[in-house]
Amino acid sequence: MFRRTAAALIALLAVAPVARGERVEHWYAVEIMGSPVGFASEVEEADGGTILMRTHMDLEMSRMGAPLSMFMAVEEVCDDDGRFVSARMEMKASMTGMSATAALDGDTLDYRFETANTANERRIPWDPEAVSQKTASERVRAWLQGNEDEIRMTTFRVDEGKFIAMRVVRKETGTQTIDGREQHVIVTEEYENDSTIPISTTTYDEDLVPYRTVMTQMGLEIVVRRVGREEMDAIEVDPNFDIIRQSMIAVKGYPDLPSRVHSVTMRLTLPRPTETVASLDGPNQEELARGDDWIDLRITRDHVGHSDAIDREI
């Protein structure tokens, strides 16, 4: 869930061009259903003939009453002309973790995906239509200054090990109070591949820098909003926000209240789980089975293996 959230952030960067040796950084507050759960940052810096774009996200919440900490970093390097050089992803979630790297060698990517238990390497032909995240952000910025309704581009998503076709559509313009003053804003919707449902909605300020991005995953609204350092220091993260309880949907005739359900079993759909995802077993969850594009996961209130657990209120 949050792997795609952080990866989408770096794909939406539209900061001003950075001069050699210069560094630009933006901080964001992350909220789920209105509750502050963490922070994210975007950094772009140019030095030594390369440009680095990095996004990192730190989240604190709970899952079925158990603490859940998540960290993710995604970075991409390109040369001075904006050509892709390499990319890297690292994610840690409580007791699990994974990483991925990609480096361009001629017209082929050397790709490696690694977890605590497995490591997979493969060679991926470079898509001649693909551009670096830096070039994509510059194209979006130029497009925002024009009048065309949409823009299309293809980039490589290191967290998924594949190329993604992105379509950005101009939704509306207006004014909003940002940084204490009224600013002209542009709102866009972002689509992946041939989807007709947007993966996110982004508001750009008068300098064409992302101010607010809204995504919906697992029925939960995730808001990533740019903040100043002073405001960021004043935000108190809510570690008791329970992502499972908040994503539960009331079902008529269901025999128990959600607050008294001892465990939940769900099927997660994702590409090539055997290659890309380590075992999901953890203190409060158990992987039951997996197939070509799915994993069945049971989440419980108590440690897996305890047979004397009793139902209790969250």
Side-chain angles (χ1 to χ4, degrees):
M1 174 180 177
F2 293 104
R3 191 173 80 183
R4 291 185 60 80
T5 301
L9 284 178
I10 197 170
L12 296 171
L13 285 174
V15 297
V18 176
R20 185 179 301 279
E22 204 174 293
R23 173 187 173 96
V24 174
E25 183 172 18
H26 297 291
W27 285 90
Y28 297 83
V30 181
E31 299 178 351
I32 302 180
M33 304 300 287
S35 295
V37 296
F39 302 95
S41 74
E42 297 171 339
V43 175
E44 180 177 348
E45 53 188 336
D47 191 25
T50 61
I51 300 172
L52 171 68
M53 303 183 75
R54 180 191 299 117
T55 296
H56 96 263
M57 181 179 292
D58 285 289
L59 304 175
E60 296 284 342
M61 63 192 79
S62 67
R63 180 177 54 189
M64 296 288 284
L68 175 64
S69 299
M70 302 188 71
F71 164 82
M72 180 171 179
V74 180
E75 66 180 35
E76 185 176 294
V77 178
C78 66
D79 63 20
D80 276 342
D81 295 323
R83 292 187 292 263
F84 178 95
V85 174
S86 63
R88 183 180 69 89
M89 178 277 293
E90 180 182 2
M91 188 185 79
K92 295 180 180 179
S94 295
M95 297 183 67
T96 64
M98 61 188 69
S99 64
T101 58
L104 188 59
D105 179 15
D107 58 358
T108 305
L109 279 172
D110 289 322
Y111 184 75
R112 178 181 176 86
F113 189 95
E114 189 171 356
T115 68
N117 305 328
T118 61
N120 292 280
E121 297 181 353
R122 53 194 173 101
R123 301 266 290 173
I124 305 173
W126 179 258
D127 185 338
E129 299 296 322
V131 298
S132 68
Q133 299 290 358
K134 174 62 177 175
T135 297
S137 72
E138 290 176 341
R139 290 184 181 180
V140 169
R141 183 180 179 83
W143 168 75
L144 288 170
Q145 296 173 359
N147 297 311
E148 294 184 6
D149 291 336
E150 65 177 55
I151 183 174
R152 295 172 180 259
M153 67 203 86
T154 298
T155 59
F156 180 73
R157 188 68 60 77
V158 66
D159 62 306
E160 297 188 31
K162 64 181 181 181
F163 293 94
I164 299 292
M166 175 74 74
R167 181 167 64 96
V168 185
V169 177
R170 196 184 304 266
K171 183 181 180 184
E172 61 187 10
T173 60
T175 58
Q176 285 189 26
T177 301
I178 301 175
D179 299 331
R181 58 188 177 85
E182 287 290 307
Q183 295 192 34
H184 174 75
V185 300
I186 301 175
V187 181
T188 66
E189 291 180 332
E190 294 77 39
Y191 299 79
E192 286 187 355
N193 299 320
D194 297 323
S195 175
T196 58
I197 300 175
I199 62 167
S200 58
T201 301
T202 300
T203 300
Y204 293 86
D205 66 15
E206 63 185 12
D207 295 320
L208 306 182
V209 176
Y211 168 69
R212 186 173 185 264
T213 296
V214 181
M215 308 176 191
T216 301
Q217 296 187 24
M218 291 176 58
L220 302 175
E221 183 181 79
I222 304 171
V223 177
V224 183
R225 178 176 57 87
R226 194 178 75 231
V227 295
R229 188 76 195 193
E230 184 175 333
E231 181 181 358
M232 185 186 71
D233 291 340
I235 294 175
E236 294 186 8
V237 172
D238 180 10
N240 296 317
F241 176 85
D242 197 308
I243 188 170
I244 298 298
R245 184 177 182 182
Q246 291 296 324
S247 62
M248 287 181 174
I249 301 173
V251 178
K252 185 177 181 180
Y254 192 75
D256 294 303
L257 293 172
S259 61
R260 295 193 62 82
V261 174
H262 175 68
S263 66
V264 175
T265 299
M266 62 184 73
R267 172 159 291 186
L268 309 177
T269 301
L270 64 170
R272 305 186 309 277
T274 302
E275 300 179 19
T276 60
V277 180
S279 171
L280 296 181
D281 288 342
N284 295 84
Q285 63 188 45
E286 179 184 14
E287 181 180 315
L288 302 178
R290 63 170 63 194
D292 292 337
D293 60 356
W294 56 268
I295 294 178
D296 284 347
L297 184 68
R298 181 174 70 93
I299 299 177
T300 178
R301 295 180 185 276
D302 293 320
H303 286 267
V304 172
H306 287 192
S307 59
D308 57 347
I310 58 172
D311 286 348
R312 61 182 182 277
E313 297 288 344
I314 292 178

